[in-house]
Amino acid sequence: MTATAPRIRPLVFLGAPGAGKGTQARAVAERLGVPQISTGDMFRDHAARGTDLGKQAKAVMERGELVSDDIVVAMVADRIVQPDCAPGFILDGFPRTVPQAERLETLLAQTGRPGVLAVNFRISYTNLVRRLTGRRTCVLCGEIYNIHFRPPKVEGRCDRDGGELKQRADDREEVIRERLSAYERQTQPLVDFYRERGALLDVDAEAAPEELTRRLLELLEAAVAR
Ligand code: AMP
């Protein structure tokens, strides 16, 4: 049971790895006052803490493959019933397969929530690869930089808190290829899944991050209201 009625429809940010979903989910979530739920971040956190789930996920992630639907769905089911999710939430990196999307629909219906609104981040393959190879993340606050497009003021250090900036283990070129191919095979069909339900908004994700946030907020303002 949620104490507060949802303020907005649950949002799903869809797009290839490197399309900017994480950066935008953080920015938009802050502005809308709802949590950002990144299944990738949750797995990385488990892996860093060395939990059983983390150990299982780590090997799969390092190969650029997807963790099993059962594991991911159970993790998300626990997360979205937490009190901070009551007003709404942004899912970043979930669902990633059609079965995950179907199970999300069931979960939402069971908890009396409205159906999701999906945002499809469209971007060229060349830009994806540049974004992924250039991505660096702050180990302290999770802020995302890019050495080509959005470098920090001091090399290797976060502008916010001076934390060390690290490259993700799966942002190496050989793993990137596998991740992009997993996206095409398993996640791309979700675009049609949500389009057929009239629940898809397309955005041009080639824009600069601040400009894209502005456009997204404009686009979502009317659409997310219940
Ligand atoms: P991300 O940070 O979203 O790029 O996710 C990093 C990795 O975590 C992916 O390459 C997968 O191995 C795993 N992962 C994250 N979300 C999911 C999901 N919804 N389904 C399966 N695996 C996932």
Side-chain angles (χ1 to χ4, degrees), residues 12-21 24 118-128 131 183 188 191-192 195 200-208 212 215-216 219:
V12 164
F13 282 11
L14 268 185
K21 299 185 303 293
Q24 295 303 325
V119 181
N120 179 30
F121 285 63
R122 297 164 64 103
I123 182 170
S124 74
Y125 190 88
T126 319
N127 265 336
L128 283 180
R131 287 195 186 183
Y183 172 76
Q188 182 74 33
V191 171
D192 290 333
R195 206 185 299 282
L200 189 81
L201 294 175
D202 285 301
V203 289
D204 173 5
E206 308 269 351
L212 185 52
R215 279 197 222 157
L216 274 170
L219 201 66

PDB file of all heavy atoms in Angstrom, residues 12-21 24 118-128 131 183 188 191-192 195 200-208 212 215-216 219:
ATOM      1  N   VAL A  12       9.679   5.446 -17.886  1.00  0.00           N
ATOM      2  CA  VAL A  12      10.716   4.496 -18.289  1.00  0.00           C
ATOM      3  C   VAL A  12      11.598   5.203 -19.311  1.00  0.00           C
ATOM      4  O   VAL A  12      11.086   5.689 -20.322  1.00  0.00           O
ATOM      5  CB  VAL A  12      10.076   3.238 -18.930  1.00  0.00           C
ATOM      6  CG1 VAL A  12      11.103   2.432 -19.702  1.00  0.00           C
ATOM      7  CG2 VAL A  12       9.409   2.374 -17.871  1.00  0.00           C
ATOM      8  N   PHE A  13      12.892   5.311 -19.037  1.00  0.00           N
ATOM      9  CA  PHE A  13      13.812   5.893 -20.011  1.00  0.00           C
ATOM     10  C   PHE A  13      14.442   4.765 -20.808  1.00  0.00           C
ATOM     11  O   PHE A  13      15.159   3.932 -20.272  1.00  0.00           O
ATOM     12  CB  PHE A  13      14.885   6.749 -19.314  1.00  0.00           C
ATOM     13  CG  PHE A  13      14.390   8.118 -18.898  1.00  0.00           C
ATOM     14  CD1 PHE A  13      13.040   8.436 -18.935  1.00  0.00           C
ATOM     15  CD2 PHE A  13      15.280   9.115 -18.501  1.00  0.00           C
ATOM     16  CE1 PHE A  13      12.571   9.701 -18.580  1.00  0.00           C
ATOM     17  CE2 PHE A  13      14.830  10.384 -18.140  1.00  0.00           C
ATOM     18  CZ  PHE A  13      13.478  10.672 -18.178  1.00  0.00           C
ATOM     19  N   LEU A  14      14.135   4.763 -22.116  1.00  0.00           N
ATOM     20  CA  LEU A  14      14.568   3.692 -23.010  1.00  0.00           C
ATOM     21  C   LEU A  14      15.621   4.201 -23.967  1.00  0.00           C
ATOM     22  O   LEU A  14      15.495   5.310 -24.482  1.00  0.00           O
ATOM     23  CB  LEU A  14      13.396   3.306 -23.913  1.00  0.00           C
ATOM     24  CG  LEU A  14      12.427   2.211 -23.562  1.00  0.00           C
ATOM     25  CD1 LEU A  14      11.488   2.035 -24.761  1.00  0.00           C
ATOM     26  CD2 LEU A  14      13.146   0.917 -23.268  1.00  0.00           C
ATOM     27  N   GLY A  15      16.611   3.395 -24.247  1.00  0.00           N
ATOM     28  CA  GLY A  15      17.594   3.807 -25.241  1.00  0.00           C
ATOM     29  C   GLY A  15      18.837   2.967 -25.092  1.00  0.00           C
ATOM     30  O   GLY A  15      19.033   2.291 -24.073  1.00  0.00           O
ATOM     31  N   ALA A  16      19.691   3.007 -26.107  1.00  0.00           N
ATOM     32  CA  ALA A  16      20.913   2.204 -26.085  1.00  0.00           C
ATOM     33  C   ALA A  16      21.826   2.683 -24.957  1.00  0.00           C
ATOM     34  O   ALA A  16      21.723   3.828 -24.521  1.00  0.00           O
ATOM     35  CB  ALA A  16      21.619   2.340 -27.427  1.00  0.00           C
ATOM     36  N   PRO A  17      22.739   1.811 -24.507  1.00  0.00           N
ATOM     37  CA  PRO A  17      23.739   2.262 -23.546  1.00  0.00           C
ATOM     38  C   PRO A  17      24.493   3.436 -24.154  1.00  0.00           C
ATOM     39  O   PRO A  17      24.864   3.388 -25.332  1.00  0.00           O
ATOM     40  CB  PRO A  17      24.685   1.055 -23.400  1.00  0.00           C
ATOM     41  CG  PRO A  17      23.947  -0.111 -23.933  1.00  0.00           C
ATOM     42  CD  PRO A  17      22.932   0.408 -24.908  1.00  0.00           C
ATOM     43  N   GLY A  18      24.658   4.519 -23.395  1.00  0.00           N
ATOM     44  CA  GLY A  18      25.388   5.677 -23.910  1.00  0.00           C
ATOM     45  C   GLY A  18      24.474   6.747 -24.488  1.00  0.00           C
ATOM     46  O   GLY A  18      24.926   7.822 -24.866  1.00  0.00           O
ATOM     47  N   ALA A  19      23.165   6.494 -24.554  1.00  0.00           N
ATOM     48  CA  ALA A  19      22.247   7.470 -25.151  1.00  0.00           C
ATOM     49  C   ALA A  19      21.997   8.661 -24.226  1.00  0.00           C
ATOM     50  O   ALA A  19      21.397   9.650 -24.630  1.00  0.00           O
ATOM     51  CB  ALA A  19      20.926   6.796 -25.520  1.00  0.00           C
ATOM     52  N   GLY A  20      22.433   8.544 -22.978  1.00  0.00           N
ATOM     53  CA  GLY A  20      22.265   9.657 -22.036  1.00  0.00           C
ATOM     54  C   GLY A  20      21.130   9.449 -21.047  1.00  0.00           C
ATOM     55  O   GLY A  20      20.751  10.382 -20.332  1.00  0.00           O
ATOM     56  N   LYS A  21      20.596   8.233 -20.986  1.00  0.00           N
ATOM     57  CA  LYS A  21      19.465   7.952 -20.087  1.00  0.00           C
ATOM     58  C   LYS A  21      19.816   8.256 -18.632  1.00  0.00           C
ATOM     59  O   LYS A  21      19.034   8.864 -17.920  1.00  0.00           O
ATOM     60  CB  LYS A  21      19.072   6.471 -20.134  1.00  0.00           C
ATOM     61  CG  LYS A  21      18.626   5.948 -21.448  1.00  0.00           C
ATOM     62  CD  LYS A  21      18.143   4.512 -21.320  1.00  0.00           C
ATOM     63  CE  LYS A  21      19.162   3.544 -20.741  1.00  0.00           C
ATOM     64  NZ  LYS A  21      20.332   3.293 -21.588  1.00  0.00           N
ATOM     65  N   GLN A  24      20.211  12.036 -17.896  1.00  0.00           N
ATOM     66  CA  GLN A  24      18.914  12.709 -17.955  1.00  0.00           C
ATOM     67  C   GLN A  24      17.983  12.234 -16.842  1.00  0.00           C
ATOM     68  O   GLN A  24      17.231  13.031 -16.281  1.00  0.00           O
ATOM     69  CB  GLN A  24      18.264  12.497 -19.328  1.00  0.00           C
ATOM     70  CG  GLN A  24      19.031  13.141 -20.467  1.00  0.00           C
ATOM     71  CD  GLN A  24      19.243  14.637 -20.272  1.00  0.00           C
ATOM     72  OE1 GLN A  24      18.380  15.329 -19.730  1.00  0.00           O
ATOM     73  NE2 GLN A  24      20.382  15.151 -20.697  1.00  0.00           N
ATOM     74  N   ALA A 118       6.865   5.762 -21.575  1.00  0.00           N
ATOM     75  CA  ALA A 118       8.259   5.483 -21.944  1.00  0.00           C
ATOM     76  C   ALA A 118       8.812   6.614 -22.807  1.00  0.00           C
ATOM     77  O   ALA A 118       8.107   7.164 -23.651  1.00  0.00           O
ATOM     78  CB  ALA A 118       8.339   4.162 -22.688  1.00  0.00           C
ATOM     79  N   VAL A 119      10.061   6.963 -22.573  1.00  0.00           N
ATOM     80  CA  VAL A 119      10.739   7.971 -23.382  1.00  0.00           C
ATOM     81  C   VAL A 119      11.861   7.276 -24.142  1.00  0.00           C
ATOM     82  O   VAL A 119      12.711   6.619 -23.544  1.00  0.00           O
ATOM     83  CB  VAL A 119      11.344   9.099 -22.507  1.00  0.00           C
ATOM     84  CG1 VAL A 119      12.027  10.138 -23.384  1.00  0.00           C
ATOM     85  CG2 VAL A 119      10.268   9.744 -21.646  1.00  0.00           C
ATOM     86  N   ASN A 120      11.820   7.405 -25.466  1.00  0.00           N
ATOM     87  CA  ASN A 120      12.783   6.725 -26.317  1.00  0.00           C
ATOM     88  C   ASN A 120      13.897   7.684 -26.738  1.00  0.00           C
ATOM     89  O   ASN A 120      13.660   8.627 -27.490  1.00  0.00           O
ATOM     90  CB  ASN A 120      12.040   6.191 -27.551  1.00  0.00           C
ATOM     91  CG  ASN A 120      12.939   5.474 -28.520  1.00  0.00           C
ATOM     92  OD1 ASN A 120      13.936   4.879 -28.120  1.00  0.00           O
ATOM     93  ND2 ASN A 120      12.593   5.531 -29.799  1.00  0.00           N
ATOM     94  N   PHE A 121      15.116   7.451 -26.264  1.00  0.00           N
ATOM     95  CA  PHE A 121      16.268   8.309 -26.580  1.00  0.00           C
ATOM     96  C   PHE A 121      16.882   7.861 -27.901  1.00  0.00           C
ATOM     97  O   PHE A 121      17.484   6.798 -27.983  1.00  0.00           O
ATOM     98  CB  PHE A 121      17.322   8.191 -25.467  1.00  0.00           C
ATOM     99  CG  PHE A 121      16.967   8.905 -24.205  1.00  0.00           C
ATOM    100  CD1 PHE A 121      15.856   8.540 -23.470  1.00  0.00           C
ATOM    101  CD2 PHE A 121      17.749   9.960 -23.754  1.00  0.00           C
ATOM    102  CE1 PHE A 121      15.519   9.206 -22.300  1.00  0.00           C
ATOM    103  CE2 PHE A 121      17.421  10.633 -22.584  1.00  0.00           C
ATOM    104  CZ  PHE A 121      16.317  10.260 -21.862  1.00  0.00           C
ATOM    105  N   ARG A 122      16.736   8.700 -28.928  1.00  0.00           N
ATOM    106  CA  ARG A 122      17.239   8.329 -30.265  1.00  0.00           C
ATOM    107  C   ARG A 122      18.593   8.970 -30.531  1.00  0.00           C
ATOM    108  O   ARG A 122      18.751  10.178 -30.368  1.00  0.00           O
ATOM    109  CB  ARG A 122      16.241   8.772 -31.336  1.00  0.00           C
ATOM    110  CG  ARG A 122      14.904   8.064 -31.205  1.00  0.00           C
ATOM    111  CD  ARG A 122      13.867   8.800 -31.994  1.00  0.00           C
ATOM    112  NE  ARG A 122      14.206   8.761 -33.414  1.00  0.00           N
ATOM    113  CZ  ARG A 122      13.618   7.971 -34.286  1.00  0.00           C
ATOM    114  NH1 ARG A 122      12.633   7.188 -33.911  1.00  0.00           N
ATOM    115  NH2 ARG A 122      13.980   7.960 -35.542  1.00  0.00           N
ATOM    116  N   ILE A 123      19.559   8.165 -30.966  1.00  0.00           N
ATOM    117  CA  ILE A 123      20.917   8.670 -31.188  1.00  0.00           C
ATOM    118  C   ILE A 123      21.669   7.752 -32.158  1.00  0.00           C
ATOM    119  O   ILE A 123      21.371   6.555 -32.240  1.00  0.00           O
ATOM    120  CB  ILE A 123      21.666   8.778 -29.834  1.00  0.00           C
ATOM    121  CG1 ILE A 123      23.057   9.352 -30.008  1.00  0.00           C
ATOM    122  CG2 ILE A 123      21.712   7.450 -29.106  1.00  0.00           C
ATOM    123  CD1 ILE A 123      23.747   9.713 -28.714  1.00  0.00           C
ATOM    124  N   SER A 124      22.655   8.330 -32.902  1.00  0.00           N
ATOM    125  CA  SER A 124      23.380   7.531 -33.893  1.00  0.00           C
ATOM    126  C   SER A 124      24.404   6.607 -33.225  1.00  0.00           C
ATOM    127  O   SER A 124      24.883   6.881 -32.127  1.00  0.00           O
ATOM    128  CB  SER A 124      24.113   8.454 -34.862  1.00  0.00           C
ATOM    129  OG  SER A 124      25.239   9.014 -34.212  1.00  0.00           O
ATOM    130  N   TYR A 125      24.752   5.544 -33.922  1.00  0.00           N
ATOM    131  CA  TYR A 125      25.697   4.539 -33.417  1.00  0.00           C
ATOM    132  C   TYR A 125      27.063   5.160 -33.124  1.00  0.00           C
ATOM    133  O   TYR A 125      27.669   4.903 -32.082  1.00  0.00           O
ATOM    134  CB  TYR A 125      25.808   3.424 -34.471  1.00  0.00           C
ATOM    135  CG  TYR A 125      26.566   2.213 -33.982  1.00  0.00           C
ATOM    136  CD1 TYR A 125      25.903   1.187 -33.307  1.00  0.00           C
ATOM    137  CD2 TYR A 125      27.934   2.090 -34.204  1.00  0.00           C
ATOM    138  CE1 TYR A 125      26.592   0.075 -32.852  1.00  0.00           C
ATOM    139  CE2 TYR A 125      28.625   0.977 -33.753  1.00  0.00           C
ATOM    140  CZ  TYR A 125      27.945  -0.029 -33.074  1.00  0.00           C
ATOM    141  OH  TYR A 125      28.629  -1.129 -32.626  1.00  0.00           O
ATOM    142  N   THR A 126      27.539   6.022 -34.049  1.00  0.00           N
ATOM    143  CA  THR A 126      28.855   6.647 -33.873  1.00  0.00           C
ATOM    144  C   THR A 126      28.906   7.447 -32.579  1.00  0.00           C
ATOM    145  O   THR A 126      29.880   7.383 -31.821  1.00  0.00           O
ATOM    146  CB  THR A 126      29.140   7.621 -35.052  1.00  0.00           C
ATOM    147  OG1 THR A 126      28.674   6.992 -36.236  1.00  0.00           O
ATOM    148  CG2 THR A 126      30.579   7.987 -35.161  1.00  0.00           C
ATOM    149  N   ASN A 127      27.862   8.220 -32.313  1.00  0.00           N
ATOM    150  CA  ASN A 127      27.837   9.021 -31.091  1.00  0.00           C
ATOM    151  C   ASN A 127      27.770   8.157 -29.837  1.00  0.00           C
ATOM    152  O   ASN A 127      28.350   8.504 -28.812  1.00  0.00           O
ATOM    153  CB  ASN A 127      26.661   9.989 -31.112  1.00  0.00           C
ATOM    154  CG  ASN A 127      27.101  11.338 -31.619  1.00  0.00           C
ATOM    155  OD1 ASN A 127      28.287  11.680 -31.527  1.00  0.00           O
ATOM    156  ND2 ASN A 127      26.177  12.104 -32.156  1.00  0.00           N
ATOM    157  N   LEU A 128      27.061   7.039 -29.946  1.00  0.00           N
ATOM    158  CA  LEU A 128      26.972   6.125 -28.787  1.00  0.00           C
ATOM    159  C   LEU A 128      28.362   5.660 -28.376  1.00  0.00           C
ATOM    160  O   LEU A 128      28.723   5.691 -27.205  1.00  0.00           O
ATOM    161  CB  LEU A 128      26.154   4.879 -29.151  1.00  0.00           C
ATOM    162  CG  LEU A 128      24.661   5.021 -29.192  1.00  0.00           C
ATOM    163  CD1 LEU A 128      24.031   3.685 -29.579  1.00  0.00           C
ATOM    164  CD2 LEU A 128      24.137   5.472 -27.838  1.00  0.00           C
ATOM    165  N   ARG A 131      30.360   8.386 -26.763  1.00  0.00           N
ATOM    166  CA  ARG A 131      29.879   8.690 -25.409  1.00  0.00           C
ATOM    167  C   ARG A 131      30.304   7.611 -24.422  1.00  0.00           C
ATOM    168  O   ARG A 131      30.676   7.903 -23.286  1.00  0.00           O
ATOM    169  CB  ARG A 131      28.358   8.790 -25.407  1.00  0.00           C
ATOM    170  CG  ARG A 131      27.889  10.061 -26.072  1.00  0.00           C
ATOM    171  CD  ARG A 131      26.452  10.289 -25.712  1.00  0.00           C
ATOM    172  NE  ARG A 131      25.905  11.424 -26.427  1.00  0.00           N
ATOM    173  CZ  ARG A 131      24.679  11.862 -26.236  1.00  0.00           C
ATOM    174  NH1 ARG A 131      23.886  11.258 -25.375  1.00  0.00           N
ATOM    175  NH2 ARG A 131      24.244  12.897 -26.898  1.00  0.00           N
ATOM    176  N   TYR A 183      21.487  -4.763 -26.745  1.00  0.00           N
ATOM    177  CA  TYR A 183      20.433  -3.748 -26.828  1.00  0.00           C
ATOM    178  C   TYR A 183      19.572  -3.972 -28.072  1.00  0.00           C
ATOM    179  O   TYR A 183      18.349  -4.010 -28.009  1.00  0.00           O
ATOM    180  CB  TYR A 183      21.033  -2.339 -26.851  1.00  0.00           C
ATOM    181  CG  TYR A 183      19.970  -1.306 -27.130  1.00  0.00           C
ATOM    182  CD1 TYR A 183      19.077  -0.930 -26.131  1.00  0.00           C
ATOM    183  CD2 TYR A 183      19.805  -0.770 -28.396  1.00  0.00           C
ATOM    184  CE1 TYR A 183      18.052  -0.041 -26.388  1.00  0.00           C
ATOM    185  CE2 TYR A 183      18.790   0.130 -28.671  1.00  0.00           C
ATOM    186  CZ  TYR A 183      17.920   0.481 -27.667  1.00  0.00           C
ATOM    187  OH  TYR A 183      16.898   1.348 -27.919  1.00  0.00           O
ATOM    188  N   GLN A 188      15.572  -3.175 -28.071  1.00  0.00           N
ATOM    189  CA  GLN A 188      14.947  -2.410 -29.156  1.00  0.00           C
ATOM    190  C   GLN A 188      13.467  -2.781 -29.360  1.00  0.00           C
ATOM    191  O   GLN A 188      12.634  -1.896 -29.587  1.00  0.00           O
ATOM    192  CB  GLN A 188      15.775  -2.630 -30.438  1.00  0.00           C
ATOM    193  CG  GLN A 188      15.302  -1.870 -31.659  1.00  0.00           C
ATOM    194  CD  GLN A 188      15.621  -0.383 -31.589  1.00  0.00           C
ATOM    195  OE1 GLN A 188      16.646   0.009 -31.027  1.00  0.00           O
ATOM    196  NE2 GLN A 188      14.748   0.423 -32.131  1.00  0.00           N
ATOM    197  N   VAL A 191      10.604  -0.628 -27.916  1.00  0.00           N
ATOM    198  CA  VAL A 191      10.137   0.613 -28.531  1.00  0.00           C
ATOM    199  C   VAL A 191       8.763   0.357 -29.152  1.00  0.00           C
ATOM    200  O   VAL A 191       7.822   1.116 -28.925  1.00  0.00           O
ATOM    201  CB  VAL A 191      11.167   1.124 -29.579  1.00  0.00           C
ATOM    202  CG1 VAL A 191      10.617   2.285 -30.375  1.00  0.00           C
ATOM    203  CG2 VAL A 191      12.478   1.501 -28.884  1.00  0.00           C
ATOM    204  N   ASP A 192       8.641  -0.769 -29.873  1.00  0.00           N
ATOM    205  CA  ASP A 192       7.346  -1.113 -30.479  1.00  0.00           C
ATOM    206  C   ASP A 192       6.322  -1.483 -29.414  1.00  0.00           C
ATOM    207  O   ASP A 192       5.145  -1.146 -29.523  1.00  0.00           O
ATOM    208  CB  ASP A 192       7.507  -2.290 -31.453  1.00  0.00           C
ATOM    209  CG  ASP A 192       8.282  -1.867 -32.682  1.00  0.00           C
ATOM    210  OD1 ASP A 192       8.227  -0.668 -33.012  1.00  0.00           O
ATOM    211  OD2 ASP A 192       8.966  -2.713 -33.289  1.00  0.00           O
ATOM    212  N   ARG A 195       5.117   1.722 -28.116  1.00  0.00           N
ATOM    213  CA  ARG A 195       4.437   2.500 -29.156  1.00  0.00           C
ATOM    214  C   ARG A 195       3.034   1.941 -29.406  1.00  0.00           C
ATOM    215  O   ARG A 195       2.066   2.677 -29.505  1.00  0.00           O
ATOM    216  CB  ARG A 195       5.250   2.503 -30.459  1.00  0.00           C
ATOM    217  CG  ARG A 195       4.967   3.737 -31.305  1.00  0.00           C
ATOM    218  CD  ARG A 195       5.661   3.734 -32.655  1.00  0.00           C
ATOM    219  NE  ARG A 195       7.109   3.686 -32.618  1.00  0.00           N
ATOM    220  CZ  ARG A 195       7.885   4.725 -32.347  1.00  0.00           C
ATOM    221  NH1 ARG A 195       7.358   5.897 -32.061  1.00  0.00           N
ATOM    222  NH2 ARG A 195       9.188   4.609 -32.365  1.00  0.00           N
ATOM    223  N   LEU A 200       4.526   5.970 -25.784  1.00  0.00           N
ATOM    224  CA  LEU A 200       5.926   6.251 -26.123  1.00  0.00           C
ATOM    225  C   LEU A 200       6.108   7.685 -26.606  1.00  0.00           C
ATOM    226  O   LEU A 200       5.355   8.169 -27.437  1.00  0.00           O
ATOM    227  CB  LEU A 200       6.403   5.304 -27.226  1.00  0.00           C
ATOM    228  CG  LEU A 200       7.905   5.353 -27.499  1.00  0.00           C
ATOM    229  CD1 LEU A 200       8.657   4.501 -26.479  1.00  0.00           C
ATOM    230  CD2 LEU A 200       8.233   4.874 -28.904  1.00  0.00           C
ATOM    231  N   LEU A 201       7.126   8.350 -26.053  1.00  0.00           N
ATOM    232  CA  LEU A 201       7.530   9.665 -26.546  1.00  0.00           C
ATOM    233  C   LEU A 201       8.935   9.528 -27.110  1.00  0.00           C
ATOM    234  O   LEU A 201       9.799   8.944 -26.453  1.00  0.00           O
ATOM    235  CB  LEU A 201       7.593  10.675 -25.390  1.00  0.00           C
ATOM    236  CG  LEU A 201       6.318  11.069 -24.672  1.00  0.00           C
ATOM    237  CD1 LEU A 201       6.650  11.976 -23.491  1.00  0.00           C
ATOM    238  CD2 LEU A 201       5.392  11.799 -25.644  1.00  0.00           C
ATOM    239  N   ASP A 202       9.170  10.051 -28.323  1.00  0.00           N
ATOM    240  CA  ASP A 202      10.514  10.015 -28.896  1.00  0.00           C
ATOM    241  C   ASP A 202      11.240  11.311 -28.584  1.00  0.00           C
ATOM    242  O   ASP A 202      10.640  12.380 -28.664  1.00  0.00           O
ATOM    243  CB  ASP A 202      10.432   9.880 -30.428  1.00  0.00           C
ATOM    244  CG  ASP A 202      10.061   8.466 -30.839  1.00  0.00           C
ATOM    245  OD1 ASP A 202      10.802   7.541 -30.479  1.00  0.00           O
ATOM    246  OD2 ASP A 202       9.024   8.303 -31.519  1.00  0.00           O
ATOM    247  N   VAL A 203      12.542  11.225 -28.227  1.00  0.00           N
ATOM    248  CA  VAL A 203      13.334  12.446 -28.107  1.00  0.00           C
ATOM    249  C   VAL A 203      14.622  12.295 -28.902  1.00  0.00           C
ATOM    250  O   VAL A 203      15.182  11.199 -28.994  1.00  0.00           O
ATOM    251  CB  VAL A 203      13.727  12.831 -26.651  1.00  0.00           C
ATOM    252  CG1 VAL A 203      12.550  13.315 -25.865  1.00  0.00           C
ATOM    253  CG2 VAL A 203      14.475  11.730 -25.950  1.00  0.00           C
ATOM    254  N   ASP A 204      15.074  13.420 -29.453  1.00  0.00           N
ATOM    255  CA  ASP A 204      16.339  13.436 -30.175  1.00  0.00           C
ATOM    256  C   ASP A 204      17.436  13.594 -29.127  1.00  0.00           C
ATOM    257  O   ASP A 204      17.619  14.673 -28.562  1.00  0.00           O
ATOM    258  CB  ASP A 204      16.316  14.618 -31.152  1.00  0.00           C
ATOM    259  CG  ASP A 204      17.663  14.815 -31.825  1.00  0.00           C
ATOM    260  OD1 ASP A 204      18.564  13.990 -31.611  1.00  0.00           O
ATOM    261  OD2 ASP A 204      17.805  15.814 -32.557  1.00  0.00           O
ATOM    262  N   ALA A 205      18.171  12.503 -28.873  1.00  0.00           N
ATOM    263  CA  ALA A 205      19.148  12.500 -27.776  1.00  0.00           C
ATOM    264  C   ALA A 205      20.527  12.999 -28.210  1.00  0.00           C
ATOM    265  O   ALA A 205      21.490  12.893 -27.458  1.00  0.00           O
ATOM    266  CB  ALA A 205      19.250  11.104 -27.182  1.00  0.00           C
ATOM    267  N   GLU A 206      20.622  13.569 -29.428  1.00  0.00           N
ATOM    268  CA  GLU A 206      21.909  14.094 -29.891  1.00  0.00           C
ATOM    269  C   GLU A 206      22.201  15.463 -29.255  1.00  0.00           C
ATOM    270  O   GLU A 206      23.334  15.929 -29.281  1.00  0.00           O
ATOM    271  CB  GLU A 206      21.920  14.273 -31.425  1.00  0.00           C
ATOM    272  CG  GLU A 206      21.512  13.051 -32.226  1.00  0.00           C
ATOM    273  CD  GLU A 206      22.699  12.149 -32.599  1.00  0.00           C
ATOM    274  OE1 GLU A 206      23.845  12.560 -32.383  1.00  0.00           O
ATOM    275  OE2 GLU A 206      22.447  11.029 -33.079  1.00  0.00           O
ATOM    276  N   ALA A 207      21.168  16.105 -28.712  1.00  0.00           N
ATOM    277  CA  ALA A 207      21.334  17.457 -28.152  1.00  0.00           C
ATOM    278  C   ALA A 207      22.287  17.460 -26.954  1.00  0.00           C
ATOM    279  O   ALA A 207      22.518  16.412 -26.335  1.00  0.00           O
ATOM    280  CB  ALA A 207      19.966  17.986 -27.719  1.00  0.00           C
ATOM    281  N   ALA A 208      22.827  18.646 -26.624  1.00  0.00           N
ATOM    282  CA  ALA A 208      23.697  18.787 -25.450  1.00  0.00           C
ATOM    283  C   ALA A 208      22.888  18.474 -24.195  1.00  0.00           C
ATOM    284  O   ALA A 208      21.672  18.716 -24.174  1.00  0.00           O
ATOM    285  CB  ALA A 208      24.245  20.205 -25.398  1.00  0.00           C
ATOM    286  N   LEU A 212      18.861  19.010 -23.648  1.00  0.00           N
ATOM    287  CA  LEU A 212      18.008  17.819 -23.655  1.00  0.00           C
ATOM    288  C   LEU A 212      17.139  17.767 -22.390  1.00  0.00           C
ATOM    289  O   LEU A 212      15.943  17.441 -22.463  1.00  0.00           O
ATOM    290  CB  LEU A 212      18.879  16.562 -23.773  1.00  0.00           C
ATOM    291  CG  LEU A 212      18.160  15.224 -23.916  1.00  0.00           C
ATOM    292  CD1 LEU A 212      17.139  15.237 -25.039  1.00  0.00           C
ATOM    293  CD2 LEU A 212      19.174  14.104 -24.172  1.00  0.00           C
ATOM    294  N   ARG A 215      14.276  20.183 -22.873  1.00  0.00           N
ATOM    295  CA  ARG A 215      13.248  19.653 -23.783  1.00  0.00           C
ATOM    296  C   ARG A 215      12.441  18.542 -23.138  1.00  0.00           C
ATOM    297  O   ARG A 215      11.225  18.453 -23.318  1.00  0.00           O
ATOM    298  CB  ARG A 215      13.915  19.077 -25.048  1.00  0.00           C
ATOM    299  CG  ARG A 215      14.248  20.141 -26.040  1.00  0.00           C
ATOM    300  CD  ARG A 215      14.506  19.503 -27.386  1.00  0.00           C
ATOM    301  NE  ARG A 215      15.656  20.121 -28.015  1.00  0.00           N
ATOM    302  CZ  ARG A 215      16.408  19.558 -28.945  1.00  0.00           C
ATOM    303  NH1 ARG A 215      16.147  18.323 -29.340  1.00  0.00           N
ATOM    304  NH2 ARG A 215      17.410  20.188 -29.480  1.00  0.00           N
ATOM    305  N   LEU A 216      13.132  17.696 -22.387  1.00  0.00           N
ATOM    306  CA  LEU A 216      12.437  16.583 -21.737  1.00  0.00           C
ATOM    307  C   LEU A 216      11.408  17.089 -20.730  1.00  0.00           C
ATOM    308  O   LEU A 216      10.277  16.595 -20.683  1.00  0.00           O
ATOM    309  CB  LEU A 216      13.448  15.712 -20.979  1.00  0.00           C
ATOM    310  CG  LEU A 216      14.131  14.619 -21.789  1.00  0.00           C
ATOM    311  CD1 LEU A 216      15.269  14.006 -20.982  1.00  0.00           C
ATOM    312  CD2 LEU A 216      13.131  13.539 -22.170  1.00  0.00           C
ATOM    313  N   LEU A 219       8.436  18.393 -22.551  1.00  0.00           N
ATOM    314  CA  LEU A 219       7.683  17.291 -23.139  1.00  0.00           C
ATOM    315  C   LEU A 219       6.892  16.529 -22.078  1.00  0.00           C
ATOM    316  O   LEU A 219       5.752  16.121 -22.289  1.00  0.00           O
ATOM    317  CB  LEU A 219       8.707  16.348 -23.780  1.00  0.00           C
ATOM    318  CG  LEU A 219       8.297  15.379 -24.848  1.00  0.00           C
ATOM    319  CD1 LEU A 219       7.861  16.146 -26.078  1.00  0.00           C
ATOM    320  CD2 LEU A 219       9.501  14.496 -25.217  1.00  0.00           C
TER     321      LEU A 219
END
